Amino acid sequence: MCGIVGYIGGKKAAPILLDGLAKLEYRGYDSAGIAVRNGEEKPVIIKAEGKLKVLSEKTADGDSVEGFCGIGHTRWATHGEPSKINAHPHHTDDDNVVGVHNGIIENYKELQEKLLRHDYKFYSETDTEVVIKLIDYYYKKYEMGPIDALAKTMVRVRGSYALVVMFADYPDEIYVARKDSPMILGLGEGENYIASDVPAILKYTRKVQYIGNLEMGRVSADGITFFDLNGDEVEKPVAEIDWDTEAAEKGGYEHFMMKEIHEQPRVVEDTIRSFIIGEEGSYQVNLTESGFTEEEIKKCTGIHIVACGSAYHVGMTSQYVFEDFAKIPVRVELASEFRYRKPLLDKDALVIIISQSGETADSLAALREAKDRGVKTLAIVNVVGSSIAREADHVCYTLAGPEIAVATTKAYSTQLIVNYLVALKFAEVRGYLDATQINDYIVDMLKIPNKIQKVIDDKERLQWFAAKYANAKDVFFIGRGIDYATCLEGSLKMKEISYVHSEAYAAGELKHGTISLIEDGVLVIGVATQKALYEKMISNMVEVQSRGAYLMGLTTYGSYDLEDTVNFTVYVPKTDEHFATSVAIIPLQLLGYYLAVARGLDVDKPRNLAKSVTVE
Ligand code: M6R
């Protein structure tokens, strides 16, 4: 939540800050602001409520603001409503300290009271204003410079933060501090960058350094120096980002979401190929790069898959796949529940954390909980160098590339793939599948990208159907087994971007309450890809139809003749049933997208949401 950028160097800072914020707007978009310094002069601070374009218009895309050093912020409100006064940057009355913040300061009330006793005044409702004034307080009290003031502040505050701060006495430097909120530093020639996430700086540099937890940094045009809480310097390696620049642009599509839906065949194939070796006839799963060993798999007593949102839905599908392939018990849990429910974890269990961003606060906390209990952790993550990737015992990277639309599509699809492959590896090592079977499943998986492409090529029918249902009030998704997991994601895709109320139900569960909501004209989408459950699904669909529902059926070509039963049928190419979600989800992504477009909504930035949820 919230996007942060910083720039210092030889170029005009404001246009670079606004450009970076535009790439981070998916992290928050209720208000934005920049602070730019021109040498010794006081910083110019400009803020605006609403999306970034309001701020851009106010500053002629940054052109009207002079200065070579600055910081910027796009906000997702936590403390205080979206407004200009609550927008960042925040500053002291004398402009001694100006800063932006991503995260939550839990004890800000108590710190504010302390500062009020020292005559500080507060204008906003934010925790950020408190932390900026606390830095100022320590800076003036001890007179030991910015790093000391930041360290003293970090010791006093509870919560999470990525802080970027400018001090009046240090016009050629920007200071940063971090705990549990993402931040990267980008290295240029005679210039340096600060950002919450890679897309903001990709256009300018690929060389980055990751600031660790409870660390600080001093950023000047010539270099970056890192410090620990004692004020001692810390060496940091330089990493190279291999995402291409175009991946973070819309590339001719109207929305990032549509572009990302179209990227799925390629990223799914890239991800499969990065975890297999051999050739057709002798394909094998290769997890060597993750460091996950066969010994660990052999002694594993059970798996806990922990994640949030769509990543949790990936876990729901994976549960069926793991249990069927590898005969190992799997429990899927929401990270926000797992972290507080004192889970009983066997010492030889495995906790799998799934996360696109690698920064989701609840998933990160769940990972730490598992590690504290001495349980092995495997992260399935998209963002290289993210907190979850760095802290997990083993990491498998999805190769989705940067995902900008708030509604995940391609990251979700690649997460499914990694889970299938890990499940196959478990099955092989534990003796439930032989080499030929593994090869055959991989051959089947390698056909998924083409099947996804076929569904995308056929998208006009869904566009037509979405236009017809643009005024729907309630939509129900029903399915059994893996199809139920697919429904959970299909339903989330629809509601998060089109604001149409939708719910996913295990089809057999409807008659235990929910069926009373079915009335004339309510849209029910039934997913039926699993042979053994097909007849039961048909019965459930007929039950809702006879109560007035309008039925859309989603099934595979050649398997079932749904047309006699439902009002509108969507066929997708058949795949091995374990992998059915990978193909069946595509029409549901498209349906959610087209419904949102038909309702005239901002598809990539749905209200109240942010791409990466770094607060609890
Ligand atoms: O970055 P993560 O994968 O950890 O994010 C988890 C959820 O916030 C995310 O999947 C969310 O549900 C998506 N925006 C849904 O499209």
Side-chain angles (χ1 to χ4, degrees):
M1 342 278 317
C2 301
I4 287 182
V5 291
Y7 171 79
I8 185 158
K11 299 186 194 122
K12 210 165 169 174
I16 295 175
L17 297 176
L18 288 168
D19 182 57
L21 289 178
K23 303 280 168 20
L24 295 181
E25 220 188 347
Y26 66 85
R27 302 180 63 86
Y29 31 81
D30 61 46
S31 54
I34 54 171
V36 177
R37 296 201 63 176
N38 199 9
E40 308 272 322
E41 289 171 25
K42 280 195 166 202
V44 174
I45 301 173
I46 306 168
K47 313 200 240 187
E49 189 184 335
K51 295 208 170 129
L52 186 67
K53 69 173 188 326
V54 185
L55 182 67
S56 297
E57 277 162 20
K58 238 177 159 175
T59 58
D61 290 332
D63 242 27
S64 64
V65 189
E66 298 301 327
F68 304 100
C69 166
I71 59 182
H73 188 267
T74 174
R75 180 167 185 253
W76 186 88
T78 56
H79 294 68
E81 57 172 8
S83 68
K84 189 172 162 190
I85 196 85
N86 287 333
H88 303 207
H90 288 281
H91 58 105
T92 52
D93 286 346
D94 59 0
D95 284 332
N96 182 46
V97 182
V98 185
V100 294
H101 161 228
N102 171 27
I104 286 188
I105 306 299
E106 287 163 6
N107 55 340
Y108 81 106
K109 275 280 168 217
E110 142 203 345
L111 296 170
Q112 188 174 39
E113 276 157 27
K114 167 192 167 78
L115 291 167
L116 283 167
R117 288 196 295 276
H118 288 89
D119 295 332
Y120 280 89
K121 292 195 175 53
F122 291 89
Y123 307 97
S124 75
E125 301 156 89
T126 66
D127 50 348
T128 304
E129 189 182 0
V130 176
V131 79
I132 296 302
K133 290 181 176 172
L134 189 66
I135 296 169
D136 181 70
Y137 169 77
Y138 286 126
Y139 180 80
K140 288 174 178 157
K141 179 169 178 189
Y142 293 100
E143 297 182 348
M144 287 176 68
I147 290 296
D148 178 73
L150 280 171
K152 290 200 163 61
T153 304
M154 289 163 81
V155 170
R156 276 307 302 271
V157 301
R158 281 199 311 275
S160 60
Y161 47 83
L163 271 167
V164 184
V165 182
M166 297 192 293
F167 291 80
D169 300 334
Y170 296 82
D172 301 323
E173 288 164 2
I174 301 176
Y175 287 82
V176 297
R178 171 180 180 268
K179 178 176 175 271
D180 293 344
S181 278
M183 177 156 57
I184 53 164
L185 288 301
L187 305 167
E189 295 291 323
E191 58 183 10
N192 288 305
Y193 300 83
I194 302 154
S196 303
D197 199 358
V198 175
I201 58 171
L202 209 50
K203 191 163 145 188
Y204 309 104
T205 180
R206 277 154 196 292
K207 288 200 172 69
V208 298
Q209 285 182 304
Y210 297 105
I211 175 170
N213 237 3
L214 289 171
E215 287 181 348
M216 298 163 282
R218 181 178 62 220
V219 186
S220 69
D222 305 324
I224 304 174
T225 314
F226 295 91
F227 302 89
D228 63 18
L229 267 188
N230 298 319
D232 294 330
E233 283 190 25
V234 185
E235 287 299 317
K236 292 273 163 200
V238 176
E240 193 85 25
I241 302 286
D242 60 6
W243 288 356
D244 66 46
T245 335
E246 274 175 29
E249 308 284 341
K250 271 193 215 156
Y253 289 92
E254 202 181 333
H255 299 103
F256 277 110
M257 184 176 173
M258 194 42 130
K259 175 182 175 244
E260 289 161 5
I261 287 175
H262 277 80
E263 284 172 344
Q264 291 181 106
R266 180 177 53 78
V267 297
V268 162
E269 172 149 10
D270 289 351
T271 304
I272 300 172
R273 294 213 179 270
S274 72
F275 290 104
I276 59 171
I277 47 173
E279 53 196 39
E280 188 157 349
S282 64
Y283 282 131
Q284 288 173 37
V285 180
N286 176 21
L287 300 180
T288 322
E289 272 202 27
S290 72
F292 197 41
T293 64
E294 296 202 350
E295 281 58 49
E296 286 171 308
I297 294 177
K298 273 184 199 142
K299 72 173 196 186
C300 181
T301 50
I303 297 175
H304 298 256
I305 302 181
V306 187
C308 302
S310 297
Y312 167 78
H313 299 156
V314 169
M316 290 294 285
T317 291
S318 307
Q319 175 183 32
Y320 295 98
V321 180
F322 267 105
E323 293 197 338
D324 199 47
F325 277 162
K327 315 293 176 219
I328 186 162
V330 178
R331 184 163 176 173
V332 191
E333 300 201 55
L334 292 164
S336 52
E337 292 296 314
F338 177 89
R339 61 182 292 194
Y340 292 118
R341 88 173 166 78
K342 305 194 185 86
L344 297 176
L345 300 175
D346 185 84
K347 69 174 180 15
D348 291 323
L350 171 72
V351 170
I352 300 182
I353 306 282
I354 308 173
S355 175
Q356 186 283 130
S357 61
E359 300 292 350
T360 300
D362 285 323
S363 305
L364 180 59
L367 171 88
R368 289 178 181 162
E369 173 73 22
K371 286 189 76 179
D372 285 351
R373 309 273 210 94
V375 176
K376 276 270 174 306
T377 54
L378 169 70
I380 297 176
V381 171
N382 194 43
V383 178
V384 176
S386 55
S387 302
I388 292 175
R390 280 184 284 164
E391 293 187 28
D393 297 306
H394 307 297
V395 190
C396 289
Y397 282 110
T398 49
L399 299 187
E403 191 177 62
I404 309 295
V406 165
T408 180
T409 51
K410 61 174 180 167
Y412 167 87
S413 286
T414 54
Q415 287 163 352
L416 284 172
I417 294 296
V418 177
N419 274 281
Y420 301 156
L421 290 163
V422 176
L424 284 174
K425 190 71 190 172
F426 264 74
E428 180 210 316
V429 172
R430 297 164 76 94
Y432 291 105
L433 292 176
D434 62 26
T436 312
Q437 290 168 306
I438 297 285
N439 170 75
D440 293 350
Y441 279 121
I442 293 175
V443 169
D444 212 285
M445 282 181 71
L446 283 166
K447 293 180 184 154
I448 293 174
N450 264 333
K451 295 176 183 178
I452 294 178
Q453 188 59 52
K454 285 210 168 69
V455 182
I456 295 173
D457 292 343
D458 208 12
K459 58 184 186 292
E460 271 73 26
R461 275 191 86 227
L462 289 156
Q463 185 171 14
W464 169 83
F465 186 73
K468 187 169 144 86
Y469 267 87
N471 293 322
K473 289 238 168 343
D474 304 290
V475 180
F476 293 87
F477 290 74
I478 57 171
R480 287 172 173 260
I482 280 183
D483 291 333
Y484 167 52
T486 309
C487 285
L488 287 168
E489 176 61 7
S491 168
L492 178 59
K493 281 290 85 75
M494 179 171 288
K495 66 187 139 200
E496 71 178 323
I497 54 173
S498 73
Y499 316 152
V500 171
H501 166 246
S502 78
E503 304 210 22
Y505 267 87
E509 188 63 17
L510 268 188
K511 52 176 112 36
H512 297 285
T514 315
I515 203 160
S516 63
L517 293 170
I518 305 295
E519 55 187 8
D520 268 357
V522 166
L523 175 60
V524 176
I525 299 176
V527 181
T529 68
Q530 307 289 304
K531 198 170 176 190
L533 299 167
Y534 180 67
E535 281 175 5
K536 296 204 183 310
M537 258 313 286
I538 295 282
S539 306
N540 297 137
M541 290 202 246
V542 171
E543 279 161 14
V544 291
Q545 198 178 41
S546 61
R547 284 159 179 86
Y550 185 90
L551 261 186
M552 170 181 144
L554 170 52
T555 188
T556 49
Y557 283 113
S559 314
Y560 319 117
D561 191 4
L562 268 189
E563 268 153 46
D564 292 341
T565 314
V566 307
N567 306 93
F568 179 76
T569 319
V570 175
Y571 290 104
V572 296
K574 205 171 188 169
T575 185
D576 178 89
E577 288 186 3
H578 296 91
F579 312 139
T581 303
S582 287
V583 184
I585 195 59
I586 309 299
L588 303 183
Q589 294 172 344
L590 288 162
L591 192 60
Y593 172 84
Y594 283 128
L595 204 63
V597 172
R599 291 163 66 90
L601 299 169
D602 188 344
V603 176
D604 287 336
K605 297 184 204 112
R607 70 182 176 209
N608 305 336
L609 289 175
K611 179 77 180 159
S612 147
V613 185
T614 52
V615 293
E616 276 190 59

